[in-house]
Amino acid sequence: MANPLLNKKKIRGWKRRVKQIEQWKNRYMHLDLEELRASPRDYVKLWIDPFYRLTRRNPPVWYSRLLLAAMIKVYHSWSRQMAGFNEPFYLRIWFYHPNFIQSQIVVAFRDALHFYDNTFETGGGEPEVPLGAVRGSARS
């Protein structure tokens, strides 16, 4: 019997998958301001099947570009809506590498403005590259 956690089946119906991106974008284009006032932070993930399942997998590059374009449009829409409050706010697109499908758009303001400040560890500057890797050969 095949492993039920493997998600390697061929994906069919790409036109339908592209329509799912448009439906996702239209669903989240308008930020629910009433809910945001009650809970001063919100987020939206890429809940697009078959990529966001128990076993997640990355979509092809051309599909990821369509997802990214939709995320940017939602980001700009939320930015315009949040600018109407005339208050400082936190609005970011979080990209996860190499798991692009786990990327999300996050917004916070008022009491939760600094909620996401320590979510990620800060990097230690430039990554160290071994000298031999830069020159293409080991030092003699």
Side-chain angles (χ1 to χ4, degrees):
M1 181 172 195
N3 186 351
L5 296 178
L6 286 179
N7 193 11
K8 300 293 184 188
K9 197 170 185 181
K10 183 177 180 178
I11 299 172
R12 300 183 187 277
W14 283 107
K15 289 181 183 178
R16 185 170 15 120
R17 306 290 175 219
V18 171
K19 287 179 185 176
Q20 283 179 335
I21 296 173
E22 190 66 27
Q23 292 169 353
W24 177 88
K25 182 183 77 170
N26 291 336
R27 185 178 317 125
Y28 296 112
M29 186 66 87
H30 300 289
L31 187 60
D32 189 2
L33 299 177
E34 293 299 322
E35 184 176 328
L36 191 63
R37 285 187 181 108
S39 171
R41 60 188 171 99
D42 197 7
Y43 67 93
V44 64
K45 293 184 178 183
L46 296 173
W47 302 95
I48 295 184
D49 192 58
F51 305 106
Y52 202 91
R53 288 186 178 173
L54 183 62
T55 304
R56 292 182 180 89
R57 65 192 217 191
N58 281 324
V61 173
W62 67 270
Y63 194 80
S64 295
R65 289 181 182 150
L66 295 175
L67 285 169
L68 178 61
M71 287 178 74
I72 290 172
K73 288 180 182 177
V74 170
Y75 173 86
H76 287 302
S77 173
W78 284 17
S79 178
R80 284 190 300 272
Q81 293 175 29
M82 291 301 295
F85 280 119
N86 293 327
E87 294 183 33
F89 60 91
Y90 176 92
L91 178 62
R92 300 284 189 275
I93 298 177
W94 290 352
F95 294 107
Y96 289 93
H97 179 73
N99 303 321
F100 178 78
I101 201 66
Q102 292 180 335
S103 300
Q104 55 187 307
I105 305 169
V106 178
V107 63
F109 81 122
R110 292 188 181 152
D111 296 337
L113 181 62
H114 299 288
F115 182 81
Y116 295 111
D117 287 348
N118 297 321
T119 301
F120 297 108
E121 295 178 11
T122 57
E126 294 289 323
E128 292 185 27
V129 179
L131 191 57
V134 174
R135 292 186 180 156
S137 64
R139 293 172 61 177
S140 47

